[in-house]
Amino acid sequence: MKFSANLGFLWTEFELPEAIYRAAEAGFQAVELHWPYQTPAEKVKRALDDTGLSLLALNTARGRASENGLSALCGREADARAAIDQAIAYARAAGAEAIHVMSGNSKGPEAHAAFLSNLKYARANAPENAMILIEPLNPRDWPGYFLSHSEQAIQILDSLRDPGVKLMFDCYHVSRTEGDILGGLQALLPWIGHIQFASVPDRGPPDQGSFDYAQMFAVLRDLNWRRPLGAEYNPRGPTDQSLGWLQPFIKEA
Protein backbone atom coordinates (compact mmCIF):
# COMPACT_ATOMS: atom_id res chain seq x y z
CA MET A 1 0.00 0.00 0.00
CA LYS A 2 1.02 3.59 -0.63
CA PHE A 3 0.09 6.53 1.57
CA SER A 4 -0.32 10.28 1.27
CA ALA A 5 0.19 12.75 4.14
CA ASN A 6 -2.48 15.41 4.31
CA LEU A 7 -0.49 18.47 5.30
CA GLY A 8 -3.62 20.29 6.39
CA PHE A 9 -3.48 17.96 9.42
CA LEU A 10 0.08 16.63 9.67
CA TRP A 11 3.23 18.69 10.39
CA THR A 12 1.14 21.86 10.43
CA GLU A 13 3.69 23.64 12.63
CA PHE A 14 6.07 23.82 9.65
CA GLU A 15 6.01 25.78 6.41
CA LEU A 16 4.74 23.66 3.53
CA PRO A 17 8.11 22.89 1.90
CA GLU A 18 9.53 21.68 5.22
CA ALA A 19 6.39 19.62 5.87
CA ILE A 20 6.87 17.94 2.49
CA TYR A 21 10.45 16.98 3.40
CA ARG A 22 9.26 15.57 6.71
CA ALA A 23 6.53 13.52 5.02
CA ALA A 24 9.14 12.02 2.72
CA GLU A 25 11.46 11.22 5.63
CA ALA A 26 8.59 9.48 7.41
CA GLY A 27 7.95 7.15 4.48
CA PHE A 28 4.97 8.69 2.68
CA GLN A 29 4.81 8.51 -1.11
CA ALA A 30 2.60 11.57 -1.66
CA VAL A 31 1.10 14.63 0.02
CA GLU A 32 -2.19 16.52 -0.09
CA LEU A 33 -2.71 20.20 0.61
CA HIS A 34 -5.76 22.07 1.83
CA TRP A 35 -5.27 25.73 0.91
CA PRO A 36 -1.62 26.24 -0.04
CA TYR A 37 -2.08 29.58 -1.74
CA GLN A 38 0.05 31.62 0.67
CA THR A 39 3.07 29.50 -0.33
CA PRO A 40 4.41 30.07 -3.86
CA ALA A 41 3.75 27.02 -6.02
CA GLU A 42 7.36 26.92 -7.18
CA LYS A 43 8.52 26.33 -3.59
CA VAL A 44 6.12 23.41 -3.24
CA LYS A 45 7.19 22.03 -6.61
CA ARG A 46 10.87 22.25 -5.65
CA ALA A 47 10.26 20.28 -2.45
CA LEU A 48 8.25 17.68 -4.37
CA ASP A 49 10.99 17.33 -6.96
CA ASP A 50 13.66 17.04 -4.25
CA THR A 51 11.78 14.30 -2.40
CA GLY A 52 10.16 12.48 -5.31
CA LEU A 53 6.75 12.77 -3.67
CA SER A 54 3.65 13.34 -5.78
CA LEU A 55 1.04 15.98 -4.99
CA LEU A 56 -2.28 14.18 -4.93
CA ALA A 57 -4.74 17.03 -4.46
CA LEU A 58 -5.53 20.50 -3.19
CA ASN A 59 -8.78 22.29 -2.32
CA THR A 60 -10.51 25.27 -3.87
CA ALA A 61 -10.66 28.28 -1.55
CA ARG A 62 -13.28 28.30 1.18
CA GLY A 63 -14.42 31.91 0.74
CA ARG A 64 -15.65 33.45 3.98
CA ALA A 65 -15.52 31.32 7.13
CA SER A 66 -19.31 31.00 7.13
CA GLU A 67 -19.29 29.68 3.54
CA ASN A 68 -16.78 26.78 3.67
CA GLY A 69 -16.57 26.70 -0.12
CA LEU A 70 -18.20 28.56 -2.97
CA SER A 71 -19.29 26.27 -5.80
CA ALA A 72 -22.86 25.58 -4.63
CA LEU A 73 -23.56 29.15 -3.51
CA CYS A 74 -26.11 31.01 -5.60
CA GLY A 75 -25.00 34.53 -6.42
CA ARG A 76 -21.32 33.70 -5.87
CA GLU A 77 -20.69 32.21 -9.30
CA ALA A 78 -17.94 34.67 -10.22
CA ASP A 79 -16.14 34.07 -6.93
CA ALA A 80 -16.57 30.31 -7.25
CA ARG A 81 -15.00 30.30 -10.69
CA ALA A 82 -12.20 32.59 -9.55
CA ALA A 83 -11.46 30.05 -6.80
CA ILE A 84 -11.51 27.22 -9.34
CA ASP A 85 -9.18 29.19 -11.63
CA GLN A 86 -6.83 29.79 -8.70
CA ALA A 87 -6.76 26.09 -7.85
CA ILE A 88 -6.19 25.10 -11.47
CA ALA A 89 -3.30 27.54 -11.84
CA TYR A 90 -1.69 26.28 -8.63
CA ALA A 91 -2.24 22.67 -9.64
CA ARG A 92 -0.54 23.27 -12.98
CA ALA A 93 2.44 24.99 -11.37
CA ALA A 94 2.90 22.49 -8.54
CA GLY A 95 1.93 19.37 -10.48
CA ALA A 96 -1.20 18.39 -8.51
CA GLU A 97 -3.06 15.35 -9.79
CA ALA A 98 -6.51 16.38 -8.53
CA ILE A 99 -8.54 19.38 -7.38
CA HIS A 100 -11.19 19.09 -4.68
CA VAL A 101 -14.01 21.52 -5.55
CA MET A 102 -15.65 22.55 -2.28
CA SER A 103 -19.41 23.05 -2.49
CA GLY A 104 -19.90 25.31 0.52
CA ASN A 105 -22.79 25.87 2.94
CA SER A 106 -25.99 25.93 0.94
CA LYS A 107 -29.07 23.89 0.11
CA GLY A 108 -31.87 23.44 -2.40
CA PRO A 109 -32.24 22.93 -6.16
CA GLU A 110 -30.56 26.21 -7.05
CA ALA A 111 -27.49 25.20 -5.06
CA HIS A 112 -27.51 21.84 -6.83
CA ALA A 113 -27.64 23.54 -10.23
CA ALA A 114 -24.84 25.95 -9.30
CA PHE A 115 -22.64 23.09 -8.11
CA LEU A 116 -23.18 21.10 -11.31
CA SER A 117 -22.39 24.15 -13.43
CA ASN A 118 -19.21 24.91 -11.53
CA LEU A 119 -18.06 21.29 -11.66
CA LYS A 120 -18.48 21.35 -15.44
CA TYR A 121 -16.49 24.59 -15.53
CA ALA A 122 -13.72 23.05 -13.43
CA ARG A 123 -13.56 19.97 -15.63
CA ALA A 124 -13.50 22.01 -18.83
CA ASN A 125 -10.64 24.21 -17.66
CA ALA A 126 -8.49 21.84 -15.62
CA PRO A 127 -5.48 20.07 -17.13
CA GLU A 128 -6.65 17.13 -19.20
CA ASN A 129 -5.13 14.53 -16.86
CA ALA A 130 -6.24 16.24 -13.63
CA MET A 131 -9.10 14.69 -11.65
CA ILE A 132 -11.89 16.77 -10.12
CA LEU A 133 -12.99 15.52 -6.70
CA ILE A 134 -16.13 16.10 -4.66
CA GLU A 135 -16.33 15.18 -0.97
CA PRO A 136 -19.36 14.84 1.29
CA LEU A 137 -18.73 16.33 4.75
CA ASN A 138 -20.70 14.94 7.65
CA PRO A 139 -23.40 17.27 9.01
CA ARG A 140 -22.45 16.67 12.65
CA ASP A 141 -19.11 18.40 12.18
CA TRP A 142 -20.07 20.61 9.23
CA PRO A 143 -23.76 21.56 9.57
CA GLY A 144 -25.17 23.24 6.48
CA TYR A 145 -22.60 21.92 4.03
CA PHE A 146 -24.32 21.28 0.71
CA LEU A 147 -22.71 17.93 -0.07
CA SER A 148 -23.36 15.78 2.98
CA HIS A 149 -23.96 12.17 1.91
CA SER A 150 -22.41 9.65 -0.49
CA GLU A 151 -25.77 8.99 -2.15
CA GLN A 152 -26.09 12.69 -2.99
CA ALA A 153 -22.56 12.69 -4.43
CA ILE A 154 -23.29 9.64 -6.61
CA GLN A 155 -26.41 11.34 -7.98
CA ILE A 156 -24.26 14.31 -8.97
CA LEU A 157 -21.61 12.10 -10.57
CA ASP A 158 -24.22 10.12 -12.48
CA SER A 159 -25.75 13.36 -13.70
CA LEU A 160 -22.38 14.66 -14.92
CA ARG A 161 -21.38 11.38 -16.59
CA ASP A 162 -17.79 12.57 -16.70
CA PRO A 163 -15.10 10.02 -15.76
CA GLY A 164 -12.81 12.88 -14.78
CA VAL A 165 -15.02 13.84 -11.82
CA LYS A 166 -14.81 11.41 -8.90
CA LEU A 167 -15.83 10.90 -5.30
CA MET A 168 -13.39 11.56 -2.48
CA PHE A 169 -14.32 8.84 0.00
CA ASP A 170 -13.40 10.07 3.47
CA CYS A 171 -13.78 7.15 5.87
CA TYR A 172 -14.23 9.42 8.88
CA HIS A 173 -17.06 11.43 7.29
CA VAL A 174 -18.74 8.25 6.02
CA SER A 175 -18.58 6.73 9.49
CA ARG A 176 -20.27 9.77 11.03
CA THR A 177 -23.06 9.92 8.45
CA GLU A 178 -23.55 6.45 7.03
CA GLY A 179 -21.90 4.08 9.47
CA ASP A 180 -20.67 1.23 7.27
CA ILE A 181 -17.23 2.24 6.01
CA LEU A 182 -16.18 -1.05 4.45
CA GLY A 183 -19.54 -1.78 2.85
CA GLY A 184 -19.75 1.74 1.48
CA LEU A 185 -16.23 1.56 0.13
CA GLN A 186 -16.88 -1.66 -1.74
CA ALA A 187 -20.24 -0.47 -3.10
CA LEU A 188 -18.95 2.91 -4.25
CA LEU A 189 -15.54 1.88 -5.57
CA PRO A 190 -16.38 2.55 -9.26
CA TRP A 191 -17.05 6.21 -8.43
CA ILE A 192 -14.11 6.73 -6.04
CA GLY A 193 -11.06 8.72 -7.08
CA HIS A 194 -9.38 9.12 -3.71
CA ILE A 195 -9.70 7.63 -0.21
CA GLN A 196 -8.91 9.37 3.09
CA PHE A 197 -8.88 7.87 6.58
CA ALA A 198 -8.77 8.65 10.29
CA SER A 199 -9.86 6.86 13.45
CA VAL A 200 -13.52 6.52 14.31
CA PRO A 201 -15.10 8.30 16.11
CA ASP A 202 -12.51 10.91 17.13
CA ARG A 203 -10.53 11.48 13.88
CA GLY A 204 -7.23 10.54 15.48
CA PRO A 205 -4.47 8.23 14.19
CA PRO A 206 -5.86 5.18 12.34
CA ASP A 207 -4.49 2.61 14.79
CA GLN A 208 -6.86 4.01 17.43
CA GLY A 209 -10.64 3.97 17.60
CA SER A 210 -13.29 1.40 16.73
CA PHE A 211 -12.66 0.72 13.05
CA ASP A 212 -10.08 -1.83 11.86
CA TYR A 213 -8.11 -0.10 9.12
CA ALA A 214 -5.77 -3.07 8.73
CA GLN A 215 -8.78 -4.98 7.41
CA MET A 216 -9.69 -2.15 5.04
CA PHE A 217 -6.15 -1.88 3.71
CA ALA A 218 -6.13 -5.63 3.08
CA VAL A 219 -9.42 -5.41 1.17
CA LEU A 220 -8.08 -2.56 -0.96
CA ARG A 221 -4.94 -4.54 -1.67
CA ASP A 222 -7.10 -7.45 -2.86
CA LEU A 223 -9.09 -5.02 -5.03
CA ASN A 224 -5.80 -3.86 -6.58
CA TRP A 225 -6.19 -0.25 -5.42
CA ARG A 226 -3.06 1.62 -6.58
CA ARG A 227 -3.43 5.27 -5.58
CA PRO A 228 -1.94 6.44 -2.26
CA LEU A 229 -4.42 6.48 0.61
CA GLY A 230 -4.76 9.84 2.34
CA ALA A 231 -3.84 10.07 6.04
CA GLU A 232 -6.08 12.94 7.16
CA TYR A 233 -6.17 12.71 10.94
CA ASN A 234 -5.45 14.78 14.03
CA PRO A 235 -2.10 13.51 15.39
CA ARG A 236 -2.84 14.57 19.01
CA GLY A 237 0.71 15.84 19.43
CA PRO A 238 3.87 15.78 17.31
CA THR A 239 3.07 14.08 14.01
CA ASP A 240 6.17 11.88 14.14
CA GLN A 241 4.87 10.29 17.36
CA SER A 242 1.59 9.29 15.67
CA LEU A 243 3.10 7.21 12.85
CA GLY A 244 3.33 3.78 14.45
CA TRP A 245 0.58 2.57 12.11
CA LEU A 246 2.76 3.40 9.09
CA GLN A 247 5.85 1.41 10.12
CA PRO A 248 4.70 -2.05 8.94
CA PHE A 249 4.05 -0.65 5.46
CA ILE A 250 7.48 0.97 5.30
CA LYS A 251 9.06 -2.37 6.20
CA GLU A 252 6.83 -4.11 3.65
CA ALA A 253 8.04 -1.77 0.90
Side-chain angles (χ1 to χ4, degrees), residues 11-119:
W11 292 289
T12 56
E13 67 271 34
F14 299 103
E15 297 294 327
L16 272 181
E18 177 61 22
I20 292 170
Y21 288 114
R22 289 182 178 260
E25 291 170 1
F28 287 94
Q29 290 82 26
V31 294
E32 302 160 52
L33 311 178
H34 278 173
W35 303 282
Y37 305 109
Q38 298 303 312
T39 303
E42 57 268 22
K43 290 187 177 181
V44 169
K45 184 65 164 61
R46 188 178 307 120
L48 294 169
D49 290 344
D50 286 348
T51 59
L53 268 58
S54 58
L55 174 54
L56 250 61
L58 51 85
N59 296 346
T60 55
R62 300 175 75 180
R64 294 188 284 267
S66 62
E67 294 172 327
N68 201 29
L70 296 163
S71 286
L73 273 61
C74 301
R76 298 296 303 278
E77 289 81 3
D79 293 327
R81 296 195 175 189
I84 290 169
D85 291 341
Q86 178 189 40
I88 289 171
Y90 201 101
R92 287 185 190 276
E97 299 176 10
I99 296 167
H100 169 210
V101 176
M102 298 192 69
S103 67
N105 296 334
S106 188
K107 64 181 180 178
E110 291 183 350
H112 178 88
F115 194 40
L116 284 178
S117 177
N118 285 319
L119 288 172

